[in-house]
Amino acid sequence: VERTSRVTITPDCLLSVSVDLSFNMCVPLGGELTLVQELSSKPAQKLSRYGWYGNIRLTMFHIPDDTVVARWLFTVTRGSGFNCGTHNVTMYMRWGAPPVIDPVGRLFPNNTVTSPVLSLNLPMTSSQSNTTFNLSNPAPGDWYLAAHLPRDDGRIEHKGFPSCSYLFQPQLSVRRAVDTPILQATYLSLSVRVFVPEFVSSLSVSVSGCTWGEGLMNGDCSLSLTLGSSSPQGGLVRVNCSLIGCSAVLLAPPWNTWIRVTVDSYHSNRTTAFSISVNYTVGCKPQSVGMSGDDYINRLHGNSSTTTSPGNGSVVAEAGRHNNVSSECVWSVPVLREELDVLSVRFSPINGPNVTVTHTHPTLLTYPLNTQSTGGTLNLEITLNTVRNSSVMACLSSWAPVLALNYSHPCHTAVGLSVNVSVPGTVIRLPFPQAATWYLTLQLFCNSSDCGNVTVTPQLHVSACIEDCGTYGECRLLRSFSYLYAACVCKAGWSGWGCTDDITAQSYGRQLTAVLLLTLSNLLFIPPIVIAVRRCYITEASVYLFTMFFSTFYHACDQPGLTVMCIMDYDTLQYCDFLGSVCSIWVTVLCMARVRDTFKHMLFMLGTLLIAMSMQLDRRGLWNMLGPILCAVLAMVTSWVYRGLKRKQCYPPSWRRWVLFLLPGLASALVGVCVYVFAETEDNYLYTHSLWHVLVASSVVFLLPPRETDSMNTWSPGVCGYTLCHSTKEELYTVT
């Protein structure tokens, strides 16, 4: 390999660097490509139907540098439940950040820009399906996978009941090159890397002087030239070489990265010689700030004795004014990066919020984003601080800025914005931005020759969600292994990425109807409370009152939008509502058991403590409700069997009690449980759950036993030679 370099400076201050590499390569029989294999796997995760972004299963894989081929294996395993259907799994891939998806076709908030993603459909032909996906020359870095089942049908599934499960497990195998040049028996392949420094505007790779055969005859190159790496965002350039060679040009290549250059020959067992030249052009560079960087530190602490004029974009711009402004081709503004909280980062120019923009050359601001910031939303707001008839064009791009702005096509593939007198402010949002260095380029355009300078206020920050999901949404922080990201969960029929799509939104009347039904239906507990007090079941009445109070205000706080009212923390209200509901069933069934008061109150207290503990562990678990109910029913059945055997008749003995009270109460409770478990959906929740309140309260009215009228006395210890006898119900003590 012979390498020569030459550097040429053109009169228009464009720096052109050329590196020539000449290769004379021979492929022997049985030659192999020198590769190493690396494997990685993620644990299987249970898939969910898509209702919002929190239903997806997000995984991240890291692809190292010099990866030639990446192969994913996606394994989907279907459960064997009776209600398991056949559903295809949808999966999305994106490089650098989680994929931004919209499977249900909802609208994104205004001024939201999304990046392309790679979508795959994983068919299920059996109980286990394996799908492979190969990607040649993948972009190095983090790749994110998101998988989910089809759209949610709105049915509310309660934890612990049988349900169909789909398990998704991705695995990755990469083959990475460890040396260059790279040889393979079937074709000749040359793989090199080219480092792109900052402020490179274009990268050109040319192949010429092809000769082949033992005598190195001139002829058809039969080569293909590939520049860049594969990713859903593009960036891969491939050309076929002709008799005279070929050339590939990559405009605005990513800065501070390695670019892969691959030359392939389609003739095996042939000696091929060719020359390859790599040229990159540096359009312009900002002036150096020098070695005295303490001035910026002093400005951060407010200790600098140097005063700056308002509107100055940076110290570099000030130096340009004092020297020769025309010699500059870009102003670089230093930016301060502040991490405020999880998924909360703020960027601000060091010299103040205002930045000077001119028509002679662009103004550049740099915003580095790390992986921890990609799970939020990148927000950019630009405000024009002038009344002059002019426009300021802005380009926001990652990896490399746009330094040559044109009024007709100012930003090419970057995100473009414009502010003027009629539209002095604009905003743009990018959900899940890539982990890269982002660049904001500003330049002034006007009709006159003397445009002068204007000042703009660029505000860029990373937030968890777009505008905190608005009135009808809630921003939730999600976690996939060690990676944190945020998404909006919408309420009241609102949908979309930021809960701004009102195509299925509920009206205010429906929201008011929902809160009235769910809260006022709890007033049906008033009759059980009155009956319990009249029958001297004071403890049971207190539990019913507790349940009615917290269920009412929990559902008032659980409502979305304008009809919400929370008297305390939502989690506290929910915990008390669940605790009161289970305790109400517990005390009612124990009251029906007719055990002694001392033993009954001991069971009341012990059961309540155990229920409180289980609710703290998992308040939505199935056995947290079934466990106390089954224990109470077992105690009741044991007591009834004991009384029946002792009296040698069925207990309760009255058929009226069975027909008029017990059977209607049991039927009401059974219907309520069936409605609660099997009939509730997102659409009919306000009706079915209100009916659940009514049926449970009605069952208590029927099942609560009457007060015992017998004055059966129980033995009490003797006191001073006398025996104390008292009625268990009337608490009347007599001396005999």
Side-chain angles (χ1 to χ4, degrees):
V1 177
E2 178 186 357
R3 172 175 176 175
T4 60
S5 302
R6 64 178 180 271
V7 178
T8 304
I9 301 179
T10 58
D12 55 354
C13 297
L14 297 180
L15 179 63
S16 177
V17 179
S18 176
V19 180
D20 293 339
L21 302 175
S22 298
F23 290 88
N24 189 343
M25 309 185 65
C26 176
V27 181
L29 291 175
E32 294 183 356
L33 190 65
T34 305
L35 300 174
V36 294
Q37 188 175 18
E38 297 180 3
L39 303 174
S40 59
S41 177
K42 299 292 182 180
Q45 300 184 74
K46 183 179 179 180
L47 296 178
S48 301
R49 291 181 173 270
Y50 186 86
W52 65 294
Y53 202 84
N55 297 130
I56 72 166
R57 295 299 174 260
L58 185 68
T59 55
M60 179 177 63
F61 287 94
H62 181 77
I63 293 183
D65 295 335
D66 299 328
T67 298
V68 178
V69 176
R71 183 189 184 197
W72 276 277
L73 174 62
F74 306 116
T75 303
V76 180
T77 305
R78 183 182 59 198
S80 58
F82 66 93
N83 57 347
C84 270
T86 301
H87 304 290
N88 292 336
V89 177
T90 305
M91 198 201 65
Y92 305 88
M93 300 178 63
R94 187 187 175 197
W95 170 61
V100 180
I101 61 176
D102 182 27
V104 296
R106 294 296 183 245
L107 298 177
F108 283 88
N110 296 330
N111 304 319
T112 301
V113 178
T114 60
S115 299
V117 298
L118 181 62
S119 177
L120 298 175
N121 188 27
L122 310 181
M124 288 294 299
T125 57
S126 61
S127 60
Q128 187 177 73
S129 175
N130 295 319
T131 304
T132 59
F133 176 75
N134 297 330
L135 187 63
S136 300
N137 295 324
D142 295 329
W143 285 74
Y144 295 81
L145 312 180
H148 64 83
L149 291 174
R151 183 178 178 180
D152 187 9
D153 56 2
R155 180 173 170 267
I156 299 177
E157 295 184 357
H158 297 278
K159 186 175 180 180
F161 288 93
S163 62
C164 183
S165 62
Y166 278 74
L167 299 179
F168 172 73
Q169 183 178 22
Q171 298 176 350
L172 173 63
S173 172
V174 298
R175 295 191 175 184
R176 180 171 57 87
V178 294
D179 55 2
T180 55
I182 303 173
L183 302 177
Q184 189 169 343
T186 56
Y187 63 91
L188 175 64
S189 177
L190 165 68
S191 179
V192 296
R193 292 194 307 169
V194 178
F195 183 78
V196 180
E198 290 191 49
F199 298 100
V200 171
S201 59
S202 65
L203 176 67
S204 175
V205 180
S206 301
V207 173
S208 60
C210 297
T211 57
W212 57 274
E214 295 182 358
L216 297 180
M217 297 177 294
N218 295 328
D220 189 2
C221 281
S222 297
L223 301 175
S224 68
L225 175 62
T226 304
L227 182 61
S229 301
S230 299
S231 69
Q233 287 75 22
L236 185 68
V237 179
R238 180 180 288 110
V239 294
N240 293 323
C241 297
S242 60
L243 292 174
I244 59 175
C246 57
S247 177
V249 179
L250 187 61
L251 297 176
W255 290 357
N256 292 326
T257 58
W258 289 93
I259 299 296
R260 178 189 296 274
V261 179
T262 305
V263 180
D264 298 317
S265 176
Y266 299 105
H267 293 285
S268 61
N269 303 327
R270 171 187 291 183
T271 300
T272 304
F274 58 89
S275 296
I276 179 171
S277 62
V278 180
N279 300 276
Y280 60 86
T281 302
V282 178
C284 61
K285 288 185 178 181
Q287 291 185 354
S288 175
V289 297
M291 297 296 294
S292 59
D294 294 338
D295 184 49
Y296 291 145
I297 301 297
N298 293 332
R299 293 185 186 204
L300 294 180
H301 294 280
N303 299 326
S304 176
S305 59
T306 305
T307 59
T308 59
S309 58
N312 292 336
S314 65
V315 178
V316 176
E318 295 174 15
R321 290 195 188 91
H322 292 297
N323 298 319
N324 186 8
V325 178
S326 61
S327 64
E328 295 186 57
C329 56
V330 63
W331 284 353
S332 181
V333 179
V335 176
L336 173 65
R337 183 180 188 273
E338 299 177 89
E339 293 191 11
L340 306 178
D341 203 343
V342 179
L343 297 181
S344 179
V345 182
R346 180 176 60 191
F347 297 89
S348 56
I350 289 182
N351 290 337
N354 296 331
V355 174
T356 301
V357 181
T358 182
H359 72 287
T360 58
H361 45 265
T363 301
L364 181 64
L365 294 91
T366 305
Y367 307 103
L369 286 184
N370 53 19
T371 303
Q372 289 75 20
S373 302
T374 59
T377 301
L378 185 65
N379 305 274
L380 173 62
E381 182 178 0
I382 299 178
T383 305
L384 180 63
N385 303 321
T386 184
V387 295
R388 186 179 303 174
N389 188 15
S390 57
S391 283
V392 174
M393 307 299 295
C395 295
L396 180 66
S397 59
S398 59
W399 299 104
V402 179
L403 296 179
L405 276 73
N406 187 292
Y407 189 78
S408 58
H409 301 285
C411 296
H412 304 289
T413 58
V415 180
L417 302 91
S418 176
V419 290
N420 49 44
V421 177
S422 58
V423 185
T426 184
V427 64
I428 197 168
R429 307 178 181 91
L430 285 81
F432 298 157
Q434 281 187 316
T437 300
W438 289 76
Y439 300 92
L440 177 63
T441 308
L442 303 169
Q443 191 165 355
L444 176 65
F445 291 91
C446 61
N447 297 325
S448 61
S449 59
D450 185 16
C451 292
N453 299 334
V454 297
T455 60
V456 298
T457 304
Q459 298 179 355
L460 188 140
H461 67 279
V462 176
S463 61
C465 299
I466 297 179
E467 295 183 353
D468 203 22
C469 302
T471 305
Y472 296 96
E474 178 185 354
C475 184
R476 293 188 180 179
L477 186 64
L478 307 173
R479 182 178 64 87
S480 174
F481 301 98
S482 60
Y483 180 76
L484 297 177
Y485 59 103
C488 292
V489 54
C490 306
K491 299 180 180 180
W494 290 75
S495 57
W497 190 264
C499 301
T500 56
D501 192 343
D502 60 350
I503 188 172
T504 58
Q506 299 177 5
S507 63
Y508 178 76
R510 178 177 172 81
Q511 297 179 42
L512 186 61
T513 302
V515 69
L516 291 178
L517 280 176
L518 292 171
T519 55
L520 296 182
S521 60
N522 286 282
L523 298 181
L524 267 295
F525 271 93
I526 293 180
I529 294 174
V530 174
I531 293 176
V533 171
R534 289 179 58 88
R535 296 178 182 178
C536 296
Y537 297 133
I538 306 302
T539 303
E540 292 83 343
S542 302
V543 175
Y544 301 152
L545 180 63
F546 178 90
T547 303
M548 181 185 70
F549 178 83
F550 281 101
S551 179
T552 299
F553 286 100
Y554 163 66
H555 286 291
C557 184
D558 191 42
Q559 299 305 309
L562 304 176
T563 58
V564 62
M565 185 187 70
C566 299
I567 62 172
M568 59 181 66
D569 182 67
Y570 175 84
D571 188 71
T572 302
L573 291 173
Q574 185 188 66
Y575 177 82
C576 293
D577 173 51
F578 282 47
L579 177 64
S581 300
V582 180
C583 287
S584 297
I585 301 174
W586 172 255
V587 299
T588 301
V589 179
L590 287 181
C591 185
M592 296 171 60
R594 296 276 195 184
V595 296
R596 295 178 181 270
D597 284 351
T598 303
F599 187 59
K600 181 179 72 172
H601 289 97
M602 184 271 293
L603 290 178
F604 281 177
M605 195 63 185
L606 179 61
T608 301
L609 293 176
L610 294 177
I611 293 171
M613 179 196 66
S614 64
M615 288 295 166
Q616 180 64 28
L617 294 176
D618 184 10
R619 67 190 61 170
R620 294 186 179 274
L622 173 64
W623 287 102
N624 289 339
M625 178 178 289
L626 288 184
I629 293 177
L630 294 179
C631 292
V633 170
L634 180 62
M636 182 189 70
V637 171
T638 303
S639 177
W640 283 11
V641 170
Y642 173 77
R643 288 174 176 263
L645 293 176
K646 186 177 181 180
R647 298 182 181 184
K648 297 182 180 180
Q649 61 178 349
C650 181
Y651 186 87
S654 174
W655 66 269
R656 297 179 183 272
R657 179 67 185 167
W658 283 96
V659 174
L660 300 180
F661 296 96
L662 294 181
L663 293 181
L666 292 175
S668 179
L670 183 61
V671 172
V673 170
C674 292
V675 169
Y676 177 79
V677 174
F678 302 108
E680 282 190 355
T681 63
E682 296 289 345
D683 295 332
N684 65 10
Y685 177 78
L686 70 160
Y687 304 110
T688 54
H689 202 76
S690 300
L691 181 61
W692 155 258
H693 292 163
V694 174
L695 292 174
V696 170
S698 301
S699 65
V700 174
V701 172
F702 286 104
L703 296 178
L704 202 63
R707 181 174 55 179
E708 292 188 19
T709 57
D710 61 311
S711 58
M712 181 183 61
N713 296 333
T714 59
W715 175 84
S716 294
V719 179
C720 298
Y722 295 93
T723 301
L724 296 179
C725 296
H726 64 87
S727 173
T728 59
K729 297 301 177 183
E730 299 179 358
E731 299 295 335
L732 298 178
Y733 288 77
T734 58
V735 178
T736 59

Coordinates of all heavy atoms in Angstrom, one line a residue, residues 66 150 312 319 335 395 657 681:
D66 N -16.7 -0.8 13.1 CA -16.2 -1.8 12.1 C -17.1 -3.0 12.0 O -16.6 -4.1 11.6 CB -14.8 -2.2 12.5 CG -13.8 -1.0 12.4 OD1 -14.0 -0.1 11.6 OD2 -12.8 -1.0 13.2
P150 N -51.2 -5.9 18.4 CA -52.1 -5.0 17.8 C -52.8 -4.1 18.7 O -52.7 -4.2 20.0 CB -53.1 -5.9 17.0 CG -52.4 -7.2 16.8 CD -51.4 -7.3 18.0
N312 N -24.9 40.7 21.9 CA -23.7 40.0 21.3 C -23.9 38.5 21.5 O -24.2 38.0 22.5 CB -22.5 40.5 22.0 CG -22.2 41.9 21.7 OD1 -22.6 42.5 20.6 ND2 -21.4 42.6 22.5
A319 N -14.8 39.6 18.9 CA -13.5 39.7 18.3 C -13.5 40.0 16.9 O -12.7 40.7 16.3 CB -12.7 38.4 18.6
V335 N -22.0 27.9 24.3 CA -23.3 27.5 24.9 C -23.1 26.8 26.2 O -22.2 26.0 26.3 CB -24.2 26.7 23.9 CG1 -25.5 26.2 24.6 CG2 -24.5 27.4 22.7
C395 N -31.6 26.6 10.8 CA -31.5 25.2 10.5 C -31.0 24.4 11.7 O -29.9 24.7 12.3 CB -30.5 24.9 9.3 SG -31.0 25.6 7.8
R657 N -85.5 -16.4 55.5 CA -84.1 -15.8 55.5 C -83.4 -16.2 54.3 O -82.7 -15.4 53.7 CB -83.4 -16.3 56.8 CG -82.0 -15.7 56.9 CD -82.0 -14.3 57.1 NE -80.6 -13.7 57.1 CZ -80.3 -12.4 57.0 NH1 -81.3 -11.5 57.0 NH2 -79.1 -12.0 57.0
T681 N -64.9 -2.2 30.3 CA -64.0 -1.7 29.2 C -63.8 -0.2 29.5 O -64.4 0.4 30.3 CB -64.6 -1.9 27.8 OG1 -65.8 -1.2 27.7 CG2 -64.9 -3.4 27.6

